[in-house]
C-alpha cells in the first residue's frame, strides 16, 4: 500500500469538500473510506491454508473509520489533514456505530476479528446485515426508556462490498429467499493481513415474497410469529455461510470432502448458529451422496461451540412444531442424531433413566446446546469459573461420556480499540517506558512494573484527570448534564439485567443519600455515579430499573443535602462509541453480578486496562482480574458461588428487611410513594424482591443479601480515594496487570487448542 499517495488523495478529498456541515462530514466519511477501500486490495478470500470461520448472530463493531485508519497507520495523518482544512479532527464522531449486536457477545466477536487479522491467521466472521441494528435509547420525561430505530445505513456503508455473484438461495418449507453477502474488510493492525466479515442480507427470490428476515436485530420473540422469524434468521445466515464456505473449498480442492476439516474450522458463537450443523450434514448427504454417519463425523471434525451462559432461561430450545413447520428435514436430522446419541449412551452403560439428561430431543423441543455438545469437537467456556460451572453442573453428565471436549478460553478485548484508540495518552505514557510493542503483544505490559516511579504516577493522575474532563464535556454536550471531574467517577455500564444488579447499585446510593439526610457521612468523598446501558425492549423489570434509577437521580441530584457530594447520571444510548469515552474516565469499575451468573464479562477488562479499580463480586473474569492485579488493589465483596449454592434453597430476604431498618427504608422507596409509579412497574420490582413470582423465589439474585457488604466495600473504596497517590498506584497496578486479557491471547488459544491453526507472526 502506497501510504504517501493515499494521504495525498485524502488531502484532495478533504480540500474539495466545501460544505462544513453535517452533510459535509457524512460525505467526507464516505469518500475517505471508499478511497481506503481502493488501496487495501480487498478482492476476496482464498482457502489455501487452514481457515477459521466465526459464525455469530451479532457483531458489535462500533465505528469503523477510526479503527481502520489506525490499522492502516494513517489515523494521525488523516486527522492532521482534517485540521489543516479547518475540520475538527474528531468530526467522524458524528457518524453512527455499526451496532449489529446487543452487548458483550457481539462485542467479543468484533474483538476476535480484530485479533485474528492482527496476529495473522485466516479468521472470517459471518453474520446478518440487519437493516436496523440495536435500537437507540432515549429517556422520556419520567425517566423511562423509549426505543428509536437505528437506521444506520443513512450514513452510507462505504466499508462493504456487495458480492452479487456469491449470493445463495435459502429454502424453507413454505418459502425461499436470497441471501446476498456484503463483505467488510477486517484490517489487521499494520495492514499485513486483511480478513473478512461477511454479513448476509435477505432479499426476495425471483417471484417470491420478502420475509423481512434481515430487517431487525432480535425481533420480539414473545409471539409464535416472532419466534419463527428468529428461527428463520438463524437458519438464513447459518445455511448461507455453510454453503459459501463449502463452495470455496470445492473450488480449490475439488469435491473430495474428506479433507474439508483440515482446511475449515467453524466456531459457533453461542447456540444461535447451531442449525449450521444439521445444514452441513444435509448438504453432505443430499448434494454429495454421503451417508448420515460420514456426514455427522465430518461435522464433528469442523464444528466447535462456545457457551456464553449458564442461565437456564437463556438456553435455546426450539419447539418441534415450529421447527418442523419451516425446516422439517433439520428436525429429522436432529432426531437421527438423538437416536445415534442414545445408542452411544447405552453402549457406554448409561441407564435409560439417566439418558433424559442428555437427550437432544427433549419431548417436543430441540435442545440446541445439547445438539452442539454432542456433535462438536470442542466446547469452551469463557472464564475459569464459568468453565468450572459447565464442568460441574450444566454439562456434567456429558463429560463423563465425552471427557476432553470441554476447555476454557477466557475472553479478551482488543487493546487497539480499548487503549490505543480510546486513550492515546495512557497508551503513550506506557509506551514512553516500554515502547509500543504492547499494541501487538499485551503481555509486554508487565515489563513496566519496575519502571513505575513517582513521575509515572504523576503523569497517570494527569491522564486520568484529562479523561474525566473529556467525559464531562461529552456528557454536557450530549445530554446537557453537568458533572464535576474532580469527584470520584464510579461507573456501571452494561446491558440492564436483573443478574447484573444495577438495583443493588442504586439501592446503595439511596442508602448514602439517606445517611446524609440524617446528618451522617461527613467524610464522604464527592462521587459521580454513572450508569449506562439498554434494557431489551420487552424486558419489563429491566425497564423499570432504568426508570427507578432516573427518578432516584432526580431526587438526589436536586436535594441540597446531597448536592455536590452525590451525583447520578444515566448516560443515554450507551454504545461502543460512548464506551470509548467512559472506560478511560473511570476510577471505579462496578462489576457486581450475583456470583455464578456472569459468564465472563469483558467490560471489566476494558476498565482494568484503562486503570480503574474493580468494585465487584467474585464472578466471571473478575476472579482472574483480581488474581492478576492483586486483591489489595481491588474491592471485592459479597457472597461467592459456594455461599450462594449453600444458601440458595433456604434463602429468605424478609428477616433481613425487618432487622435492617435502613435497608428497609431504601427498598421501601419502590413501593411507599417516594417515586411516582403510575404503571405499577416499581411495585412489581418490590414484589419480586419480597414475595418472588411464579417462576422464582423472593430476591432471586440476592440483592438484599449482599447489600451491607456492598455498602461497606464501597465506603472503603471511597475513603481510599482520599490518598490520591496510593489510590493511583492501585489503578496503575490494574492497568499493567491486564496483559492476559487481550483478545490476541484468546484467539491464539482458539487457534492452538481448537482450530489447529499455527500462528506465525
Ligand atoms: C464491552 C461492552 C459490553 C459488555 O460489557 P459487560 O460489562 O461485559 O457486560 C457491552 N456493550 C458495549 C457497548 C461494550 O463495549
Amino acid at each position: 500500500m502506497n501510504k504517501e499517495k493515499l494521504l495525498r488523495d485524502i488531502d484532495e478529498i478533504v480540500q474539495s469538500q466545501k460544505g462544513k456541515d453535517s452533510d459535509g462530514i457524512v460525505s467526507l466519511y464516505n469518500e475517505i473510506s471508499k478511497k481506503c477501500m481502493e488501496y487495501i486490495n480487498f478482492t476476496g478470500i482464498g482457502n489455501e491454508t487452514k481457515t477459521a470461520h466465526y459464525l455469530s448472530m451479532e457483531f458489535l463493531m462500533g465505528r469503523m473509520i477510526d479503527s481502520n485508519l489506525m490499522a492502516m497507520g494513517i489515523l494521525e495523518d488523516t486527522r492532521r489533514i482534517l485540521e489543516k482544512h479547518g475540520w475538527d479532527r474528531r468530526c467522524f464522531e458524528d457518524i453512527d456505530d455499526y451496532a449489529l449486536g446487543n452487548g458483550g457477545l457481539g462485542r467479543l466477536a468484533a474483538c476476535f476479528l480484530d485479533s485474528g487479522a492482527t496476529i495473522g491467521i485466516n479468521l472470517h466472521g459471518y453474520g446478518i446485515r440487519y437493516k436496523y441494528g440495536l435500537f437507540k435509547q432515549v429517556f422520556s420525561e419520567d425517566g423511562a426508556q423509549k426505543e428509536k430505530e437505528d437506521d444506520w445505513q443513512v450514513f452510507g456503508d462505504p466499508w462493504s462490498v456487495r458480492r452479487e455473484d456469491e449470493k445463495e438461495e435459502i429454502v424453507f418449507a413454505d418459502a425461499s429467499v436470497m441471501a446476498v453477502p456484503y463483505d467488510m474488510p477486517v484490517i489487521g493492525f499494520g495492514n499485513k493481513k486483511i480478513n473478512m466479515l461477511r454479513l448476509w442480507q435477505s432479499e426476495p427470490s425471483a417471484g417470491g415474497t420478502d420475509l423481512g428476515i434481515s430487517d431487525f436485530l432480535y425481533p420480539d420473540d414473545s409471539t409464535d410469529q416472532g419466534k419463527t422469524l428468529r428461527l428463520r434468521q438463524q437458519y438464513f445466515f447459518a445455511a448461507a455461510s455453510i454453503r459459501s464456505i463449502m463452495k470455496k473449498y470445492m473450488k480449490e480442492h475439488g469435491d473430495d470432502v474428506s479433507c474439508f476439516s483440515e482446511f475449515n474450522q467453524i466456531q459457533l458463537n453461542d447456540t444461535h448458529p447451531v442449525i449450521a450443523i444439521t445444514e452441513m450434514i444435509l448438504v453432505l448427504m443430499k448434494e454429495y451422496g454421503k451417508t448420515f454417519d460420514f456426514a455427522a463425523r465430518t461435522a464433528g471434525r469442523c464444528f466447535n461451540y462456545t457457551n456464553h451462559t449458564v442461565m437456564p432461561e437463556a438456553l435455546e430450545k426450539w419447539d418441534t412444531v415450529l421447527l418442523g413447520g419451516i425446516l422439517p428435514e433439520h428436525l429429522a436430522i436432529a432426531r437421527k442424531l438423538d437416536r445415534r446419541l442414545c445408542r452411544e449412551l447405552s453402549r457406554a452403560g448409561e441407564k435409560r433413566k439417566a439418558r433424559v439428561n442428555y437427550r437432544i430431543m427433549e419431548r417436543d423441543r430441540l435442545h440446541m446446546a445439547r445438539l452442539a455438545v454432542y456433535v462438536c469437537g470442542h466446547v469452551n467456556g469463557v472464564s475459569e469459573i464459568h468453565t468450572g460451572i459447565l464442568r460441574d453442573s450444566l454439562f456434567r453428565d456429558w463429560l463423563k461420556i465425552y471427557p476432553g471436549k470441554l476447555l476454557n478460553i477466557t475472553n479478551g478485548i482488543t487493546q487497539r480499540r480499548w487503549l490505543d484508540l480510546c486513550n492515546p495518552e495512557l497508551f503513550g505514557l506506557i509506551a514512553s517506558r516500554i515502547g509500543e510493542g504492547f499494541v501487538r503483544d499485551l503481555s509486554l505490559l508487565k515489563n513496566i512494573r519496575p519502571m513505575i516511579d513517582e513521575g509515572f504516577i504523576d503523569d497517570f493522575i494527569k491522564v486520568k484527570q484529562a479523561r474525566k474532563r473529556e467525559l464531562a464535556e461529552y456528557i454536557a454536550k450530549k445530554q446537557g448534564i453537568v458533572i464535576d471531574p474532580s469527584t470520584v467517577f464510579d461507573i456501571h455500564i452494561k446491558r440492564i439485567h436483573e443478574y447484573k444488579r444495577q438495583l443493588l447499585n442504586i439501592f446503595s446510593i439511596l442508602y448514602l443519600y439517606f445517611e446524609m439526610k440524617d446528618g451522617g457521612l461527613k467524610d464522604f468523598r464527592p462521587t459521580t455515579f454513572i450508569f449506562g446501558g439498554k434494557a431489551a425492549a420487552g424486558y419489563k423489570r429491566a425497564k423499570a430499573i432504568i426508570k427507578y434509577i432516573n427518578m432516584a437521580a432526580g431526587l438526589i441530584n436536586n436535594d441540597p443535602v446531597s448536592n455536590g457530594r452525590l451525583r447520578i447520571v444515566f448516560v443515554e444510548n450507551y454504545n461502543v462509541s460512548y464506551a470509548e469515552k467512559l472506560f478511560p474516565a473511570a476510577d471505579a469499575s462496578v462489576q457486581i453480578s450475583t456470583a455464578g451468573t456472569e459468564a465472563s464479562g469483558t467490560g471489566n477488562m476494558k476498565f482494568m486496562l484503562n486503570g480503574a479499580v474493580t468494585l465487584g463480586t467474585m464472578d466471571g473474569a473478575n476472579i482472574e482480574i483480581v488474581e492478576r492485579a492483586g486483591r489489595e488493589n481491588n474491592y471485592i465483596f459479597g457472597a461467592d458461588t459456594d455461599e450462594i449454592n449453600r444458601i440458595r434453597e433456604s434463602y429468605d430476604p424478609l428477616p433481613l428487611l425487618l432487622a435492617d431498618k435502613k435497608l428497609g427504608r431504601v427498598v421501601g422507596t419502590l413501593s411507599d410513594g417516594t417515586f411516582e409509579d403510575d404503571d405499577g412497574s416499581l411495585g412489581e420490582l418490590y414484589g419480586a424482591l419480597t414475595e418472588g413470582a411464579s417462576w422464582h423465589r423472593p430476591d432471586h439474585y440476592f440483592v438484599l443479601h449482599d447489600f451491607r457488604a456492598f455498602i461497606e466495600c464501597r465506603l472503603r473504596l471511597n475513603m481510599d480515594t482520599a490518598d490520591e497517590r496510593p489510590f493511583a498506584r492501585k489503578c496503575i497496578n490494574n492497568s499493567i496487570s491486564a496483559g492476559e486479557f487481550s483478545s490476541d491471547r484468546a484467539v491464539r488459544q482458539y487457534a492452538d487448542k481448537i482450530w489447529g491453526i499455527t500462528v506465525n507472526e
Side-chain angles (χ1 to χ4, degrees):
M1 188 185 90
N2 185 339
K3 216 152 102 173
E4 280 62 44
K5 187 157 176 302
L6 171 55
L7 286 169
R8 278 198 303 277
D9 285 353
I10 291 177
D11 193 297
E12 220 168 85
I13 291 171
V14 181
Q15 191 171 8
S16 59
Q17 178 59 53
K18 292 289 180 267
K20 283 200 172 50
D21 51 4
S22 55
D23 285 348
I25 293 173
V26 173
S27 147
L28 267 190
Y29 159 68
N30 277 279
E31 285 190 48
I32 293 176
S33 305
K34 282 187 190 138
K35 186 56 72 182
C36 291
M37 287 290 274
E38 287 171 24
Y39 275 73
I40 57 173
N41 188 32
F42 178 53
T43 49
I45 51 152
N47 191 208
E48 313 78 45
T49 53
K50 201 168 194 180
T51 299
H53 309 275
Y54 199 82
L55 269 56
S56 178
M57 277 285 264
E58 305 185 15
F59 286 90
L60 195 53
M61 303 298 284
R63 196 177 296 119
M64 296 307 297
I65 185 161
D66 289 349
S67 53
N68 281 346
L69 294 176
M70 187 168 116
M72 296 168 75
I74 56 167
L75 177 60
E76 217 19 69
D77 296 308
T78 304
R79 285 180 170 165
R80 256 197 296 275
I81 292 171
L82 286 167
E83 276 179 323
K84 188 177 84 182
H85 295 293
W87 294 84
D88 184 338
R89 68 199 311 271
R90 298 207 162 170
C91 63
F92 295 138
E93 288 189 356
D94 292 352
I95 305 296
D96 266 4
D97 283 11
Y98 283 77
L100 308 183
N102 281 295
L105 175 142
R107 186 52 231 172
L108 184 77
C111 283
F112 280 5
L113 292 187
D114 179 78
S115 287
T118 299
I119 68 178
I121 63 170
N122 299 336
L123 171 62
H124 308 305
Y126 299 81
I128 298 177
R129 187 171 189 261
Y130 302 104
K131 171 125 183 54
Y132 300 102
L134 181 58
F135 66 84
K136 290 188 172 165
Q137 177 191 57
V138 290
F139 298 135
S140 56
E141 199 58 27
D142 61 354
Q145 169 179 291
K146 291 279 168 295
E147 299 88 25
K148 289 206 317 197
E149 67 189 20
D150 169 53
D151 193 3
W152 61 278
Q153 287 173 26
V154 300
F155 292 92
D157 183 16
W159 296 101
S160 292
V161 183
R162 178 180 165 107
R163 300 223 194 264
E164 197 70 41
D165 50 332
E166 295 192 42
K167 62 186 176 196
E168 297 284 344
E169 185 175 26
I170 304 301
V171 182
F172 300 95
D174 57 342
S176 76
V177 295
M178 297 309 295
V180 185
Y182 281 72
D183 294 351
M184 288 169 92
V186 179
I187 308 170
F189 186 83
N191 189 25
K192 271 200 285 207
K193 184 155 189 65
I194 297 185
N195 283 331
M196 170 190 85
L197 169 58
R198 169 162 284 189
L199 299 175
W200 298 97
Q201 172 166 290
S202 84
E203 295 177 10
S205 55
T209 48
D210 184 5
L211 297 176
I213 289 180
S214 59
D215 281 0
F216 291 98
L217 170 74
Y218 218 97
D220 173 13
D221 58 3
S222 60
T223 62
D224 270 357
Q225 204 186 357
K227 286 196 181 78
T228 303
L229 181 55
R230 174 104 177 136
L231 184 60
R232 282 195 207 276
Q233 288 187 328
Q234 295 189 349
Y235 179 65
F236 166 77
F237 99 94
S241 306
I242 290 302
R243 284 164 179 271
S244 88
I245 293 165
M246 292 183 79
K247 272 191 190 151
K248 206 141 274 173
Y249 170 85
M250 306 309 168
K251 219 161 104 191
E252 254 149 70
H253 303 272
D255 59 4
D256 172 11
V257 289
S258 57
C259 294
F260 184 76
S261 66
E262 282 164 46
F263 288 91
N264 295 285
Q265 289 291 309
I266 300 167
Q267 193 68 39
L268 304 173
N269 196 23
D270 214 317
T271 52
H272 319 136
V274 164
I275 196 93
I277 295 174
T278 48
E279 175 69 7
M280 181 184 285
I281 293 175
L282 274 166
V283 171
L284 287 173
M285 289 168 69
K286 286 172 52 177
E287 288 170 32
Y288 295 90
K290 302 297 177 192
T291 64
F292 169 72
D293 271 316
F294 177 93
R297 271 201 311 277
T298 304
R301 278 196 292 268
C302 51
F303 277 103
N304 307 286
Y305 156 58
T306 304
N307 175 280
H308 285 276
T309 179
V310 294
M311 310 267 251
E313 67 270 24
L315 287 172
E316 276 195 304
K317 292 166 194 176
W318 287 106
D319 185 280
T320 50
V321 175
L322 196 148
L323 180 62
I326 57 172
L327 296 166
E329 290 177 310
H330 289 261
L331 179 58
I333 293 292
R335 293 211 154 105
K336 257 173 120 70
L337 287 167
D338 184 56
R339 285 195 294 275
R340 186 168 174 261
L341 163 69
C342 284
R343 285 195 299 275
E344 283 179 34
L345 289 173
S346 105
R347 248 179 275 137
E350 280 291 317
K351 299 264 177 319
R352 180 172 286 274
K353 245 173 67 193
R355 283 182 227 161
V356 296
N357 300 326
Y358 297 88
R359 294 294 294 266
I360 293 170
M361 301 307 309
E362 210 189 46
R363 266 179 259 109
D364 51 358
R365 289 189 305 177
L366 168 57
H367 196 302
M368 300 308 263
R370 288 182 186 164
L371 195 165
V373 178
Y374 175 55
V375 177
C376 288
H378 302 271
V379 176
N380 76 288
V382 293
S383 72
E384 283 168 15
I385 186 180
H386 168 60
T387 306
I389 294 171
L390 295 181
R391 182 175 290 128
D392 300 338
S393 43
L394 199 59
F395 299 146
R396 191 180 67 184
D397 297 326
W398 285 89
L399 299 170
K400 286 190 301 200
I401 316 280
Y402 307 103
K405 264 200 189 188
L406 181 69
L407 70 159
N408 177 244
I409 301 181
T410 299
N411 282 167
I413 55 167
T414 167
Q415 66 269 32
R416 267 83 58 191
R417 184 175 291 267
W418 297 113
L419 186 62
D420 197 354
L421 191 64
C422 74
N423 199 352
E425 286 83 355
L426 182 55
F427 180 89
L429 174 59
I430 297 169
S432 72
R433 309 297 153 102
I434 59 168
E436 293 194 349
F438 66 104
V439 71
R440 294 173 157 283
D441 179 0
L442 198 63
S443 73
L444 296 173
L445 265 187
K446 61 179 176 303
N447 295 342
I448 203 175
R449 197 168 290 276
M451 301 174 204
I452 305 297
D453 51 19
E454 297 304 309
F456 187 94
I457 296 175
D458 283 337
D459 290 343
F460 176 86
I461 290 171
K462 283 195 199 114
V463 169
K464 185 65 81 180
Q465 267 311 312
R467 292 286 79 77
K468 289 166 74 170
R469 275 197 306 275
E470 262 177 43
L471 176 63
E473 281 164 24
Y474 191 75
I475 291 175
K477 187 179 95 184
K478 285 241 152 188
Q479 269 166 278
I481 295 174
V482 177
I483 60 174
D484 177 357
S486 73
T487 61
V488 179
F489 278 16
D490 173 299
I491 307 190
H492 196 181
I493 44 174
K494 49 185 76 240
R495 289 300 293 247
I496 311 300
H497 204 293
E498 288 164 280
Y499 86 82
K500 291 177 182 276
R501 298 203 294 192
Q502 281 89 1
L503 206 46
L504 175 58
N505 191 359
I506 193 64
F507 278 164
S508 83
I509 301 167
L510 279 163
Y511 169 92
L512 299 175
Y513 169 67
F514 289 136
E515 288 292 279
M516 286 180 185
K517 277 196 100 74
D518 293 344
L521 294 180
K522 290 282 178 250
D523 298 330
F524 190 81
R525 313 241 331 137
T527 300
T528 303
F529 298 96
I530 300 175
F531 289 85
K534 297 176 186 178
Y539 188 174
K540 293 217 176 72
R541 279 189 195 160
K543 293 179 93 166
I545 291 169
I546 291 178
K547 191 170 150 188
Y548 181 54
I549 294 171
N550 275 327
M551 289 196 293
L555 173 72
I556 294 173
N557 294 348
N558 293 311
D559 190 324
V561 167
S562 44
N563 200 346
R565 298 211 284 158
L566 301 176
R567 191 158 181 86
I568 305 174
V569 184
F570 204 131
V571 299
E572 211 166 41
N573 199 39
Y574 172 59
N575 60 10
V576 170
S577 290
Y578 218 137
E580 289 167 21
K581 305 278 182 202
L582 288 157
F583 287 111
D587 296 304
S589 152
V590 181
Q591 308 295 336
I592 57 177
S593 52
T594 314
T597 61
E598 187 75 89
S600 163
T602 49
N604 46 7
M605 300 168 186
K606 299 169 196 162
F607 279 116
M608 178 198 203
L609 183 58
N610 282 282
V613 299
T614 297
L615 170 58
T617 47
M618 282 302 230
D619 196 27
N622 296 353
I623 298 174
E624 289 155 76
I625 285 173
V626 169
E627 203 173 283
R628 301 293 179 274
R631 201 164 170 136
E632 68 284 4
N633 295 314
N634 288 290
Y635 297 82
I636 299 301
F637 71 94
D640 59 12
T641 42
D642 284 344
E643 184 176 347
I644 296 282
N645 288 335
R646 241 187 354 262
I647 64 175
R648 177 172 285 121
E649 292 309 315
S650 59
Y651 176 59
D652 176 6
L654 280 185
L656 268 177
L657 263 181
L658 294 174
D660 187 339
K661 291 281 174 301
K662 290 178 175 175
L663 171 62
R665 180 172 180 192
V666 166
V667 177
T669 60
L670 283 170
S671 69
D672 64 9
T674 306
F675 304 112
E676 206 173 284
D677 186 23
D678 37 14
D679 59 0
S681 62
L682 301 190
E684 205 282 330
L685 280 181
Y686 185 77
L689 289 170
T690 55
E691 293 159 34
S694 59
W695 54 276
H696 70 76
R697 295 149 73 95
D699 191 15
H700 191 56
Y701 294 104
F702 301 89
V703 172
L704 308 187
H705 179 268
D706 280 346
F707 176 77
R708 279 285 162 184
F710 184 44
I711 304 270
E712 184 274 326
C713 195
R714 168 161 263 176
L715 286 173
R716 188 157 53 82
L717 189 159
N718 185 271
M719 283 291 104
D720 287 356
T721 60
D723 298 322
E724 191 179 30
R725 299 176 67 81
F727 188 77
R729 204 177 259 282
K730 285 179 198 263
C731 292
I732 292 165
N733 270 321
N734 275 280
S735 180
I736 67 178
S737 307
E740 280 188 58
F741 299 105
S742 169
S743 45
D744 300 348
R745 183 270 311 147
V747 171
R748 274 197 200 89
Q749 288 178 324
Y750 280 88
D752 178 38
K753 297 180 180 177
I754 298 184
W755 306 329
I757 292 179
T758 328
V759 183
N760 34 17
E761 275 168 80

